[in-house]
Amino acid sequence: MSSDPPVPETRVLAIASHVVYGYVGNTMAAFVMQVLGCEVAALNTVQFSNHTGYRQFKGTRASADEIRDIYEGLKQSNLTDFDVMLSGYAPSAEAVEAIGSIARDLRFKSSMKPGSFFWVLDPVMGDQGKLYVNENVVPVYKKLLREADLILPNQFEVEVLSGVKVTSISTLKEAITKLHQQHRIPHIMVTSVFFGESKELCVVGSTRRTDGTPRFFCVDVPRIDCFFSGTGDMFAALIVVRLREAVSSTKISDTQELSSVSSWISPDDVDALDLPLAKAAEKVLASMHTILEKSKKAGDEALASQEGGALSIEGSSEKSMHLRQTKAAEVRLVRNLGDLRHPVVQYKAEALWNPTEPFNTDS
């Protein structure tokens, strides 16, 4: 297997949370992208001891002014030559606005060279029917949608952004179509989609055509019976790399590469399954599913043998057990780098509807 990075030289500004222990936010995303050959500048929006799933943590949140100030420090030394910006959790509406202003500045710098800057926006707001940010964050994200190239909402977040209650694949397609048409978002990938007691989890993606109509695809993978933290950040980081890889190897004519097209939007005649986003999703999920399976196995073994760092916690045994289980569910990255670098694709993208037929959200 080749040891060469899968992407051309790529500089990424990653704006997200940071934890000292474990892998979430930039601790996850920066590491993944660096392992795969990207130069990553990490601008951290929070500094926590550990992720909030432990139900206890220490640390600080960055203010909007602090986020802007760090970026201004980069600018004054001409250190903003970024090809991609990946943004994740922001602790306030003002912080989200600051991140939007940074993306706007980077977009302006690249305006004379289409395709030279790409913004991946993970609108981290909540999950499983609940917001874990203040409600005033939601309208700020909605205002920024039109400026992003790719958004990565989960099932709950796509409901919040579109105003469509997602209860089926049909209503999910309706939500994605609405976002494409109202906000002109080039690429949408909805993560962690499942309904009822399904034993499969799917991601559903689309790259719009010039008239705003979607090109739907999905990738189904078996669900793993474990609640991991940081998987959204892992997905986002991997999609940056694998989409960049797919785009860089795609030509739209004898003289033009897709990477020189604004927002990396494939021509209208490209089928959903041939989209770079679909190809990227297959590799992303191949890496993730393998690593999470191995993480689950390692966590189960650690709990069974009490080698996961059994904690001496004053108070209830329930609290102690939760802390041990949460620690056991940390994603194992460092020991599984081969699965990041050389994914074996098992789960293939499938089209959700025939692109030659009229779109019908009732199907």
Side-chain angles (χ1 to χ4, degrees), residues 322-340:
H322 172 75
L323 290 171
R324 291 198 299 113
Q325 289 175 335
T326 304
K327 182 180 180 183
E330 292 279 6
V331 178
R332 270 67 169 179
L333 276 181
V334 174
R335 304 290 291 183
N336 295 299
L337 297 186
D339 299 308
L340 284 176

Side-chain angles (χ1 to χ4, degrees), residues 72-85:
E72 287 302 317
L74 295 173
K75 281 186 68 175
Q76 71 183 8
S77 297
N78 297 317
L79 301 176
T80 58
D81 53 339
F82 299 111
D83 307 294
V84 177
M85 183 172 113

Side-chain angles (χ1 to χ4, degrees), residues 241-262:
V241 175
R242 296 306 178 185
L243 180 58
R244 175 88 162 159
E245 175 188 31
V247 167
S248 297
S249 63
T250 301
K251 285 191 172 185
I252 60 175
S253 71
D254 291 339
T255 59
Q256 188 177 20
E257 296 182 351
L258 183 59
S259 59
S260 66
V261 174
S262 180

Side-chain angles (χ1 to χ4, degrees), residues 25 28 30 44 78 104 120 150 180 208 221 230 249 264 269 329 331 338:
M28 170 71 83
N44 299 325
N78 297 317
R104 210 168 292 122
V120 179
L150 165 63
H180 272 319
R208 69 169 174 83
V221 296
S249 63
W264 304 345
D269 60 353
V331 178

Side-chain angles (χ1 to χ4, degrees), residues 15 28 39 61 80 105 116 151 156 160 175 186 220 230 237 244 246 275-276 325 331 349 359:
I15 307 179
M28 170 71 83
E39 297 286 350
R61 295 172 171 85
T80 58
D105 185 66
S116 62
I151 65 168
F156 171 66
V160 172
D220 295 330
R244 175 88 162 159
L275 292 168
Q325 289 175 335
V331 178
F359 177 72

Side-chain angles (χ1 to χ4, degrees), residues 198-214:
S198 173
K199 294 184 178 180
E200 289 193 326
L201 178 148
C202 67
V203 301
V204 177
S206 172
T207 295
R208 69 169 174 83
R209 297 184 181 84
T210 52
D211 63 359
T213 55

Side-chain angles (χ1 to χ4, degrees), residues 152 189 191 203 230-240 284-285 288:
L152 302 172
M189 182 79 78
T191 62
V203 301
T231 53
D233 305 301
M234 186 180 184
F235 186 97
L238 283 169
I239 205 73
V240 166
V284 168
L285 291 173
M288 288 191 66

